[in-house]
Amino acid sequence: MTRLDIKNWVEKAVHWFEGGRAPRKLDALLLDRPVPSGDRFALASHREALDGLGAKEPIAEQTAGLGDTGFRLDRVKVAQTFDSAHPVRSRSELFGRALELDAMLSATVDFGQHVIIHGARGSGKTSLVRVFGDHADGQGAVVIYMACEPDVSFAALARPYLQALPTTALVPQERAHFQSALAALPETFGPRAFVELVAERVSGPVILIFDEFDRITDTRVKAEMAVAMKLLSDALANVLFVLVGIAHSVSDVIDCHPSLRRHMRVVSLGRIEADSVKELIDAGEATTGLVFKEEARVIIGRASCGSPFHVRMFCHHAAIAALMRGSSSVSGSDARRGLRSAIEQWAAMNREDAQYFLRLVESGVRLPEIEEVAHAAALVDKIPDENESARALLGDTIVVEENGAQTFVFRDSVAPQFLIAYVILAEAAVGLD
Ligand SMILES: Nc1ncnc2c1ncn2[C@@H]1O[C@H](COP(=O)(O)OP(=O)(O)OP(=O)(O)O)[C@@H](O)[C@H]1O
Ligand SMILES: [Mg+2]
């Protein structure tokens, strides 16, 4: 394929993102790529390409996992299994977080420490705390989970947790006192009143999870949370906080009260290992009856860089591509088609970045260089400081992080994996893979 063809492809794809018709040529190119030369698979049109791709899969593979195993391939099951829009529903769906889970349980159950969890958007914070809550509950703790709202006072943030405390978590002879003291709390109260209310009255271990803590922007409220944590520890209260947010929201809290460090554990969520990605896909196969072929796994693993959100999303789209052609076997071309429809979904919300990425893969910059930059950023959730050429390459798709440090990050933190998806599709279009 010539450079001119790529230009054509990019222009059509941009037009497509802008609401025009899907670029037929791009479809044909992307679908064409995995088919061996001499195959009767035709490029003539998108429809023919889809039909041709379906026809070339062996019949035995198309029905694998159906009938005799009792599985029915259905899109609802696939959607539930690879749902990337909601946190995981159960312990068995959480992969690659054993160390973090242990750290949280050890901190809270064994050492009575508060916990702060931080990680990029979509890194799996909510999934982890929910599964943690399930384990802690199994070990006798009362766990109350809520997500923070912005622009609330300390009192508005804390009161719902107090109201949600079950009476079984209270010292029996203090139950009535607790209820009357809670009812008597003024509209505005601070950390000291909160701690006085619970310190002597909560009997068993209570863990209060504050998800989306980064939505709290009021530094006074953050400082009050830090004070509450410190007072709870000093009072030997049976109440622990788990704050969940992105990195700088954590350092804010610690900065408010440096001596808090002794009373808390910080759990940082990075990427999951390749083995865990494999387990996630294996489990998805077992649940849905689909089979992900090695080429599909390699493509999904390469683009997702260990981000469970992207693994699920790319698997989901690839699975739909296989189902659309009546197959239970997810091939490399299904994975590529999946990347393309995942990009399409993402681009609808991020048109500027999508357009920029399209131009970038067309620009003549070597694709491996683009991937290297995106990969490095995806692993550490920032542009490595020393990489100045990356900053030039990524234009307005990166911004300075809002934490005072001169760190550059993708303005859409889930973008680097999509940039790699573009690279994979562009490679296929120019015949490099
Ligand atoms: N360890 C994991 N194993 C399997 N899937 C995961 C894991 N962690 C996260 N996911 C999936 O990734 C997606 C994002 O997870 P989650 O909502 O927990 O992330 P988050 O960090 O809380 O995101 P946000 O910053 O937007 O609140 C969800 O679909 C979830 O099911
Ligand atoms: Mg979350």
Side-chain angles (χ1 to χ4, degrees), residues 11-21 347 351 355 359:
E11 277 170 8
K12 286 183 177 172
V14 169
H15 171 62
W16 172 36
F17 288 131
E18 286 172 348
R21 279 166 52 85
R351 220 171 66 175
Q355 287 172 334
R359 288 198 199 98

Side-chain angles (χ1 to χ4, degrees), residues 142-155:
V142 168
V143 181
I144 303 175
Y145 167 95
M146 291 188 202
C148 301
E149 294 292 336
D151 304 326
V152 289
S153 64
F154 174 83

Side-chain angles (χ1 to χ4, degrees), residues 409-431:
V409 292
F410 276 89
R411 65 182 165 195
D412 176 353
S413 58
V414 300
Q417 288 84 350
F418 288 101
L419 179 52
I420 297 175
Y422 276 99
V423 168
I424 292 171
L425 298 188
E427 253 180 26
V430 294

Side-chain angles (χ1 to χ4, degrees), residues 358-409:
L358 273 168
R359 288 198 199 98
L360 187 58
V361 295
E362 181 265 351
S363 64
V365 178
R366 288 178 57 249
L367 295 176
E369 192 184 327
I370 299 173
E371 179 165 354
E372 200 181 311
V373 165
H375 184 81
L379 293 188
V380 293
D381 298 312
K382 62 176 189 169
I383 310 301
D385 292 340
E386 64 285 1
N387 199 341
E388 287 189 10
S389 62
R391 291 188 217 155
L393 199 65
L394 297 168
D396 290 342
T397 64
I398 58 172
V399 291
V400 177
E401 201 176 17
E402 296 165 357
N403 63 353
Q406 278 297 303
T407 306
F408 282 84
V409 292

Side-chain angles (χ1 to χ4, degrees), residues 328-366:
S328 62
S329 175
V330 183
S331 64
S333 51
D334 291 324
R336 266 180 281 261
R337 257 188 298 190
L339 289 188
R340 198 192 55 200
S341 68
I343 283 178
E344 207 174 314
Q345 187 181 322
W346 171 77
M349 311 292 290
N350 297 275
R351 220 171 66 175
E352 280 178 28
D353 287 357
Q355 287 172 334
Y356 190 91
F357 288 170
L358 273 168
R359 288 198 199 98
L360 187 58
V361 295
E362 181 265 351
S363 64
V365 178
R366 288 178 57 249

Side-chain angles (χ1 to χ4, degrees), residues 174-238:
E174 289 292 332
R175 286 175 186 168
H177 292 138
F178 177 85
Q179 294 307 341
S180 53
L182 175 58
L185 273 179
E187 192 180 332
T188 304
F189 61 88
R192 196 164 293 280
F194 174 88
V195 175
E196 277 168 8
L197 182 62
V198 297
E200 302 290 327
R201 297 188 174 111
V202 170
S203 54
V206 167
I207 300 173
L208 308 182
I209 301 178
F210 297 80
D211 199 0
E212 315 253 351
F213 189 70
D214 46 279
R215 297 185 78 201
I216 307 283
T217 48
D218 187 336
T219 47
R220 205 181 40 195
V221 175
K222 289 189 205 178
E224 287 173 321
M225 287 293 281
V227 171
M229 290 159 85
K230 182 72 172 67
L231 290 175
L232 285 168
S233 297
D234 289 348
L236 301 175
N238 282 320

